[in-house]
Amino acid sequence: MNLRCLTAAAAAVAAFTTAPALASDCATVEVHNVRAQQGSLMLAAYSSAESFGKKPLAALRVAAGETTMRVQLCGLSGQEVALTLFQDLNDDGKMGRNAFGMPTEPWGASGSPGAMGPSWDSARVPLNGSVIVVQMST
């Protein structure tokens, strides 16, 4: 399963700094199927196929709230972006996996990630001011 980018999201969030950002470099992300009030959402944004799953353009950790959440992700640039997310239910900073390497915590990505996980091509969406909607796995 190609979910290495979700692990990279956790590493990115650990190193994320909260520098002020201009409103024009932010996107609104609407996340569906959040397990309400459990752990944190970990988001990472990538700007190219070369950086996807390796070096995020921006990252964010936010406490899980309701089953549908809207968050602002800032520090973005370019014409398109690919987002990866997972819900860190136990707040240990990494995605839980079973003995076969399959995720045991909910995950999602922008675009149409498919059952085998996201790639740059399947997750990229335009940065055009539209709300980016992500469905978390159940």
Side-chain angles (χ1 to χ4, degrees):
M1 183 170 254
N2 182 15
L3 294 176
R4 65 184 165 86
C5 57
L6 299 172
T7 302
V13 170
F16 184 72
T17 58
T18 55
L22 302 173
S24 63
D25 71 350
C26 297
T28 300
V29 181
E30 185 173 282
V31 185
H32 295 253
N33 297 328
V34 175
R35 292 191 189 174
Q37 311 300 324
Q38 295 182 44
S40 300
L41 285 180
M42 311 283 268
L43 294 85
Y46 300 94
S47 60
S48 68
E50 295 76 31
S51 69
F52 188 77
K54 298 173 190 153
K55 183 172 176 158
L57 179 63
L60 177 66
R61 178 184 195 144
V62 61
E66 301 303 316
T67 56
T68 298
M69 293 180 58
R70 275 192 174 215
V71 297
Q72 285 289 108
L73 183 59
C74 297
L76 307 176
S77 62
Q79 295 184 344
E80 54 189 3
V81 67
L83 304 180
T84 61
L85 292 80
F86 75 94
Q87 188 170 354
D88 189 6
L89 297 173
N90 59 3
D91 275 328
D92 67 352
K94 58 186 176 185
M95 176 183 283
R97 296 179 182 275
N98 66 19
F100 300 105
M102 303 293 286
T104 58
E105 294 180 306
W107 65 274
S110 53
S112 302
M116 296 306 289
S119 67
W120 167 256
D121 287 329
S122 69
R124 66 184 177 173
V125 293
L127 270 179
N128 59 8
S130 298
V131 174
I132 300 170
V133 177
V134 175
Q135 295 284 340
M136 298 293 285
S137 65
T138 53

